[in-house]
Amino acid sequence: MKMARPERRRQPLKIGLVGLGKIAVDQHIPAIRANRNWELVAGCSPSSRIDGLRCYTSMEAMLAEHPDIDAISLCTPPQIRQALAKQAIIAGKHVFLEKPPAATLGAAEAIRELAQLHGVSLLASWHSRFAPAVEAARAWIADRELSSVRIAWKENVREWHPGQSWIFSAGGSGVFDPGINSLSILTHLLQHTVIVRKADLHVPENCAAPIRAELEMVTDHGLPIRAEYDFLETENQTWSIFAETLEGERLALHKGGTLLELNGKVVLDGVDAEYDGLYAHFHELIRSGRSDADFGPMRIVADAFMIGTLLPAPAFVE
């Protein structure tokens, strides 16, 4: 009797990184190198270099030298992402967009349409949705009727975004750059559309984007949601979402979705592996010929800017 041949494992997909800043070094490179389904071939940046990685000054040069690259991860500031995504998609490459997907909703939608036209997979990555406690929280909420939700997302911009002046430029989103992570969790937890009713945006006199924000929101089914964002918190940094049910049950997601409390008791305290999950998801999308391009969190931020009250704040000095 003939022995069945072992199934041959598919070759890893080859990927290139565009933008070699902090997020690429801290998250993307370790996650890619830890996944046997990916091979990190090269990276590009006008100025940065990574030891042990072939680096180029432009994506054109990188693709010319490595035409067999299958996918591109765009880790640049969002203001330049549409042009780079267009170039990659036209070249037939699958595209991973770091969050937020682009500087505007129109740019994000143009990227999505172009990916559909050229038949490549697109991932608008919301890494916080892959935090270890998020799915457990979603399952708990699905069986209950909520009475309120509150978000407290407060961190020190000088610690987490040192020297990243783009974040306070037009299109950089300011405090919503981290704050959109909470909105990506929120829109994943809830089944109904979130509508912004009121937004107070505190903009430093030397910046184009807010350094603090308070939002009053509601779902189309009447669930009230309040969010507070602060980029100047140094004493008690927090990345938390709180929910209460009509029966008085309480849920709290802390540490950006890593720790889950139910009725004051910790039931899950996981290990951060968000980007590992993202790259596994991206690989599966490509192999199955699909895309995942949800711009819901970005739409909430855009709505906040549309109806928000701009309030003056002191100049921001790095």
Side-chain angles (χ1 to χ4, degrees):
M1 182 175 64
K2 292 184 178 180
M3 297 293 291
R5 292 183 179 180
E7 184 178 349
R8 181 179 297 176
R9 189 172 69 85
R10 288 177 172 175
Q11 291 298 310
L13 295 173
K14 296 183 178 182
I15 192 166
L17 281 180
V18 180
L20 300 175
K22 181 175 171 54
I23 193 67
V25 172
D26 291 351
Q27 300 291 351
H28 288 259
I29 292 176
I32 294 170
R33 286 178 169 167
N35 189 325
R36 68 177 188 171
N37 290 316
W38 291 104
E39 178 187 348
L40 180 56
V41 173
C44 63
S45 166
S47 55
S48 299
R49 296 293 177 269
I50 303 295
D51 290 341
L53 181 66
R54 296 192 66 177
C55 298
Y56 301 86
T57 58
S58 69
M59 186 164 68
E60 293 94 331
M62 182 177 72
L63 291 179
E65 193 70 20
H66 304 278
D68 57 343
I69 282 176
D70 299 295
I72 294 289
S73 275
L74 295 179
C75 308
T76 65
Q79 292 94 328
I80 61 172
R81 208 167 285 157
Q82 182 191 2
L84 292 168
K86 181 177 181 180
Q87 181 183 349
I89 291 168
I90 290 175
K93 312 304 179 184
H94 308 288
V95 174
F96 179 123
L97 298 171
E98 181 54 75
K99 61 85 191 171
T104 67
L105 271 172
E109 289 170 355
I111 294 171
R112 181 168 58 193
E113 291 168 2
L114 192 66
Q116 291 173 344
L117 179 65
H118 286 264
V120 300
S121 294
L122 177 69
L123 173 60
S125 69
W126 302 110
H127 63 82
S128 291
R129 288 180 176 175
F130 289 82
V134 169
E135 287 303 323
R138 188 184 190 201
W140 188 88
I141 287 173
D143 293 332
R144 291 162 173 83
E145 188 169 356
L146 300 182
S147 60
S148 65
V149 174
R150 181 172 66 88
I151 298 171
W153 221 258
K154 303 179 181 183
E155 65 182 57
N156 181 2
V157 64
R158 295 180 178 91
E159 175 182 351
W160 296 100
H161 302 274
Q164 297 179 20
S165 58
W166 62 265
I167 210 165
F168 286 117
S169 301
S173 299
V175 75
F176 287 114
D177 182 75
I180 203 170
N181 294 332
S182 72
L183 298 173
S184 72
I185 295 175
L186 178 73
T187 52
H188 190 61
L189 296 180
L190 304 181
Q191 299 180 20
H192 305 297
T193 301
V194 176
I195 301 164
V196 180
R197 294 297 192 199
K198 183 177 185 293
D200 288 336
L201 310 178
H202 305 261
V203 182
E205 60 186 31
N206 61 338
C207 298
I211 201 164
R212 284 176 44 223
E214 297 86 36
L215 272 59
E216 299 289 345
M217 299 174 282
V218 66
T219 68
D220 57 352
H221 280 55
L223 175 66
I225 305 163
R226 177 171 174 80
E228 298 176 356
Y229 302 109
D230 194 346
F231 241 165
L232 298 175
E233 181 60 56
T234 57
E235 298 298 322
N236 186 29
Q237 297 189 73
T238 181
W239 301 270
S240 297
I241 298 176
F242 306 89
E244 188 165 340
T245 71
L246 292 175
E247 291 76 25
E249 294 181 283
R250 292 172 289 112
L251 173 148
L253 272 175
H254 297 298
K255 298 193 295 185
T258 301
L259 186 149
L260 174 62
E261 284 184 4
L262 296 176
N263 299 312
K265 180 181 178 180
V266 175
V267 297
L268 195 160
D269 191 355
V271 176
D272 178 10
E274 296 173 4
Y275 280 81
D276 293 342
L278 276 173
Y279 275 98
H281 182 47
F282 189 34
H283 180 267
E284 195 277 329
L285 289 174
I286 294 171
R287 289 304 190 195
S288 61
R290 297 181 298 117
S291 290
D292 181 358
D294 170 26
F295 303 143
M298 193 176 178
R299 192 267 304 162
I300 296 174
V301 174
D303 287 353
F305 276 101
M306 283 188 73
I307 71 165
T309 300
L310 301 182
L311 303 173
F316 174 71
V317 180
E318 177 79 26

